[in-house]
Amino acid sequence: MSRNLVQFQKGMSDADFDRWYGTEEQCRKALFTWRWPKGFICPVCGAGKHSVIGTRVLYQCSACRSQVSLTAGTVFHSTKLPLQTWFRAMYHITQSRGGISSLELARRLGVTQNTAWKISHKLMQVMHEREAKKPLKGRVEMDDAYIGGKREGKRGRGAAGKVPFVAAVETTDAGKPH
Ligand SMILES: [Zn+2]
């Protein structure tokens, strides 16, 4: 099993965040890249050819016609919240040193405190699971998934200056969500 990780560069400014992940489309593109760093791979048959259905959250394999949701197997699945909200939550959670209260998170995200609590609870849970499963497998791929603009550091090693990450996508080695 490999995990594609979501990371935000340490010290990323609000302005940078808005520039890179300010729209739903940008978040979708980022999620796609994390899930399929080498391009779409059908989790059923392994084919790469696909078409995009509707609003770019559903992909259909051209070979076996399987339909794959962009968020399937991720913490974003079965949520009605926009990806933007999740990304913003991850940003605030990973950037705040002493942790962030659900009240403060709610204020920043523009959601209810209850929703903010659920979001942070889910993200923290995934982070803790991730922490518990060291050493890091799939680290090389992870480096490709670093976000925040530049790809600094060496592949295959933890690049310096990165904040603890949030594992947001969990897939099998074949890229099949579970
Ligand atoms: Zn297929």
Side-chain angles (χ1 to χ4, degrees):
M1 180 182 69
S2 66
R3 290 165 177 230
N4 302 315
L5 304 176
V6 176
Q7 294 198 325
F8 294 102
Q9 203 168 38
K10 199 174 185 177
M12 179 190 262
S13 69
D14 287 3
D16 284 342
F17 178 87
D18 286 340
R19 190 149 47 93
W20 290 320
Y21 308 105
T23 71
E24 190 70 3
E25 182 60 24
Q26 285 173 311
C27 295
R28 277 182 200 147
K29 277 185 182 156
L31 182 57
F32 183 93
T33 306
W34 292 325
R35 280 199 69 178
W36 297 294
K38 290 163 189 155
F40 177 84
I41 298 168
C42 173
V44 177
C45 75
K49 273 195 82 175
H50 66 282
S51 53
V52 180
I53 298 175
T55 52
R56 303 194 189 187
V57 287
L58 207 57
Y59 301 89
Q60 184 167 47
C61 173
S62 304
C64 75
R65 317 301 290 174
S66 294
Q67 292 187 350
V68 188
S69 160
L70 178 61
T71 57
T74 77
V75 292
F76 315 121
H77 196 50
S78 77
T79 175
K80 289 186 173 63
L81 292 166
L83 285 177
Q84 272 176 286
T85 304
W86 284 98
F87 274 51
R88 200 163 286 278
M90 289 188 291
Y91 169 69
H92 288 306
I93 289 171
T94 56
Q95 299 292 314
S96 67
R97 288 187 190 282
I100 185 167
S101 70
S102 55
L103 190 64
E104 176 64 12
L105 190 61
R107 190 185 68 76
R108 296 196 191 192
L109 300 180
V111 299
T112 65
Q113 189 179 357
N114 187 40
T115 299
W117 186 87
K118 282 180 186 165
I119 290 173
S120 76
H121 187 76
K122 200 159 187 179
L123 291 175
M124 295 304 279
Q125 192 181 6
V126 179
M127 272 195 275
H128 288 147
E129 282 171 14
R130 175 71 219 174
E131 286 296 302
K133 286 179 184 175
K134 288 177 176 174
L136 308 177
K137 281 179 73 183
R139 188 76 198 208
V140 174
E141 280 186 42
M142 271 167 43
D143 280 353
D144 275 342
Y146 280 142
I147 57 176
K150 288 171 268 178
R151 278 186 201 158
E152 290 173 314
K154 312 268 193 305
R155 290 195 55 166
R157 284 200 250 148
K162 305 293 182 187
V163 294
F165 40 75
V166 177
V169 182
E170 187 169 334
T171 59
T172 61
D173 287 334
K176 185 174 183 175
H178 59 98

